[in-house]
Amino acid sequence: MTQSREMAVRGGFWMIMVLAMGVLPFPHAAAEVDSARPNIIFILADDLGWNDVGFHGSAQIPTPNLDALAYSGIILNRYYVNPICTPSRSALMTGKYPIHTGMQHTVLYAMEPRGLPLSEKLLPQYLKDLGYSNHIVGKWHLGHYQLRFTPMQRGFDSHTGFWTGHHHMNDHTAVEHGHWGLDMRRGYDVAYDLHGQYTTHVLGAEAIAIVQGHNKSSPLFLYVAHAAVHSANPYDFLPAPDETVANLGHIENYRRRKFAAMMVELDRTVGSLVDALHARDMLENTIIVFSSDNGGPADGFNDNAASNWPLRGVKNTLWEGGLRAAGFIWSPLLQNVSRVSHQMVQVCDWLPTLYEAAGGNVSALPTDLDGISVWHELSSGAPTRRIEILHNIDDIWGTSALTVGNWKLVKGSHYNRTWDGWYGPAGIRDEKAYALDTVANSPAGKVMEELSLLPTPERITQLRREATVSCGAGAHMANECDPLERPCLYDVESDPCEYNNLAEEHLHILQSLLARLADYNSTVVPPSNLEDDPRGEPQHWNFTWHNFGDEPEPEVLLNEHVD
């Protein structure tokens, strides 16, 4: 059975029989094929900074459960996402750069009558074809003005969470464009009963319930899309449990302390989820991916307190701090683990990568995907075919960025360069301040120990050093470039903090990247952004954010039209 399972995961004997015969060879074959496929758990943090986890070198925010998984898996040190929320989530779900789905410009607002195009087949739909049971807990943010754009009509079997881009963690309401409405759903229904329950706890408990109730005859895809650590509403930007905040007194800045408390709560849910998977004997055949959706909003950006230090920029900029994400992959199915990977990976790669890991035939995927499978390369440590990444093209804001190998091109700037700098806090960088024992004693750490997967303290220390970006204290303004005036060029392998503009020294490389960028620009689908539709105002729908496009026009609006 073990050999058959291994073959099935790789699209082997059983799937060959099924495809060749067109029918299942005997009644219980489906269960055998499906149960051999790995469970996939994708945990997405919202607005997490590069420097907000312990495995990247700071001892300021304790994240022992995430750290335990990272050290036991593969830390992705050259892993890129898109600069802001909706574009990243669209890339994850479609395997395409946002420029090819019209989702490249800013975020999808709650009153926009649009969504991720229905012509796109999404990751859960591909996995559904392979027999997966698919569940999402948390944030969607890819369209809800009609139910056909919401998760349960895009491949998921259940959804507990919210449709819009953010909400308050206790009252579950979102303030957007001067409007206020409740946004917490259980399936299609408003989950009024969850009022007052902290969102991270709700999502953590729901994820565990899904694992505990899962029928193991089919594989599980669980997408845990946290609200943390995104800022909430103007009356309380960083809601966190008082006790957790009080236990982080070593962080002097109060806003940063509350941010840290939100992250601590997220980390705890990860430990509990790993425990639940282990209790059901599911971990041995599970892949866990952890990622942020974009770089952190640092130094008060969006009234938040993330840190991308020492990387440049913040969320919604095309600097490394806006694009380079904290992320890792963990699985006993991977061969070369407990290492820091410098392989280039982009968020759009997860669709083909996870599809192949699930036993799917990647050659049967659409040829217009921008993502590539890196499953075997991540497992072995071999170089991937990913040699370039288009970070984005936004012709409305006049910005774009492209990385090819170690060279990165940046054109234009958001916010008139207001957020183009370097922002802390650096956190506690003294290795002695990092509590190694908390990693081993965390729920995830204990499970890793039991499975003999947690590295030694000495190896953990070495991995943490390798995963820590250090740019030195050089005079980073010496070759400063204004991307509003001319394109900038950086060697992000030797200069990940983008201190030293090399455009004038390497004109031929600059011209080559500009030509490549022009190639991409010729394939751009126009941004699909639309003006807010007054039909979506929450006051028309019992002060909830609603699928207003499925309903008759509210009477108040009809009266306004008559007037």
Side-chain angles (χ1 to χ4, degrees), residues 110-133:
M111 289 163 52
E112 281 187 87
R114 68 173 180 125
L116 184 61
L118 296 173
S119 57
E120 298 296 334
K121 186 173 182 177
L122 306 191
L123 173 59
Q125 294 170 312
Y126 284 106
L127 294 178
K128 180 74 72 175
D129 292 343
L130 300 179
Y132 275 75
S133 174

Side-chain angles (χ1 to χ4, degrees), residues 219-453:
L220 170 67
F221 172 49
L222 175 57
Y223 176 37
V224 185
H226 278 282
V229 281
H230 197 293
S231 54
N233 294 330
Y235 53 83
D236 186 15
F237 278 114
L238 297 171
D242 291 340
E243 183 179 357
T244 310
V245 175
N247 289 335
L248 294 167
H250 65 278
I251 303 176
E252 294 183 5
N253 182 288
Y254 187 61
R255 178 186 284 171
R256 177 69 173 170
R257 192 187 312 169
K258 292 189 73 178
F259 174 94
M262 294 170 71
M263 189 58 203
V264 165
E265 293 297 332
L266 187 158
D267 180 79
R268 288 172 177 168
T269 68
V270 173
S272 299
L273 181 56
V274 170
D275 247 349
L277 289 161
H278 184 52
R280 292 217 62 204
D281 296 321
M282 293 171 66
L283 265 186
E284 290 81 354
N285 191 34
T286 288
I287 299 166
I288 298 176
V289 177
F290 175 78
S291 171
S292 180
D293 62 342
N294 43 249
D299 202 40
F301 183 96
N302 279 11
D303 289 284
N304 213 314
S307 172
N308 303 309
W309 194 89
L311 301 178
R312 185 176 187 176
V314 298
K315 168 186 177 177
N316 205 22
T317 70
L318 293 171
W319 305 108
E320 293 290 282
L323 300 165
R324 198 162 169 176
F328 62 77
I329 183 170
W330 176 94
S331 178
L333 304 176
L334 295 165
Q335 298 169 1
N336 186 5
V337 294
S338 291
R339 67 182 179 89
V340 177
S341 165
H342 297 281
Q343 298 153 301
M344 289 176 65
V345 182
Q346 213 270 346
V347 65
C348 69
D349 294 333
W350 289 122
L351 187 153
T353 297
L354 296 175
Y355 184 74
E356 180 166 26
N361 178 8
V362 291
S363 65
L365 291 173
T367 58
D368 63 348
L369 295 189
D370 297 299
I372 61 171
S373 175
V374 292
W375 173 247
H376 292 296
E377 291 83 357
L378 285 176
S379 183
S380 67
T384 71
R385 293 184 293 112
R386 167 70 66 195
I387 60 171
E388 70 175 27
I389 293 174
L390 176 71
H391 298 299
N392 203 34
I393 297 173
D394 189 328
D395 288 326
I396 294 177
W397 282 346
T399 58
S400 54
L402 170 72
T403 292
V404 178
N406 58 309
W407 295 104
K408 180 180 176 184
L409 171 73
V410 178
K411 289 183 65 180
S413 173
H414 299 169
Y415 312 107
N416 198 29
R417 303 209 60 204
T418 302
W419 293 100
D420 283 4
W422 295 261
Y423 310 96
I428 305 168
R429 315 305 292 186
D430 185 353
E431 281 187 358
K432 295 179 181 178
Y434 184 67
L436 281 168
D437 59 323
T438 64
V439 176
N441 291 327
S442 69
K446 289 178 180 178
V447 171
M448 295 301 103
E449 285 272 30
E450 187 175 335
L451 297 176
S452 300
L453 294 174

Side-chain angles (χ1 to χ4, degrees), residues 34-76:
D34 289 346
S35 64
R37 301 189 189 278
N39 305 300
I40 299 170
I41 314 295
F42 199 105
I43 303 170
L44 191 66
D46 197 345
D47 282 6
L48 181 69
W50 174 266
N51 194 42
D52 295 329
V53 290
F55 61 83
H56 277 317
S58 173
Q60 188 180 54
I61 302 177
T63 55
N65 292 286
L66 289 168
D67 292 358
L69 290 172
Y71 299 138
S72 305
I74 301 171
I75 299 172
L76 304 174

Side-chain angles (χ1 to χ4, degrees), residues 45-110:
D46 197 345
D47 282 6
L48 181 69
W50 174 266
N51 194 42
D52 295 329
V53 290
F55 61 83
H56 277 317
S58 173
Q60 188 180 54
I61 302 177
T63 55
N65 292 286
L66 289 168
D67 292 358
L69 290 172
Y71 299 138
S72 305
I74 301 171
I75 299 172
L76 304 174
N77 250 39
R78 287 203 73 188
Y79 169 52
Y80 290 91
V81 291
N82 291 95
I84 199 168
C85 181
T86 297
S88 270
R89 291 163 200 266
S90 71
L92 169 64
M93 286 291 137
T94 64
K96 293 183 179 181
Y97 290 140
I99 64 163
H100 293 144
T101 58
M103 309 299 284
Q104 67 269 43
H105 177 65
T106 190
V107 298
L108 196 158
Y109 291 108

Side-chain angles (χ1 to χ4, degrees), residues 19-40:
L19 292 172
M21 298 173 63
V23 295
L24 296 174
F26 36 85
H28 64 275
E32 292 197 8
V33 173
D34 289 346
S35 64
R37 301 189 189 278
N39 305 300
I40 299 170

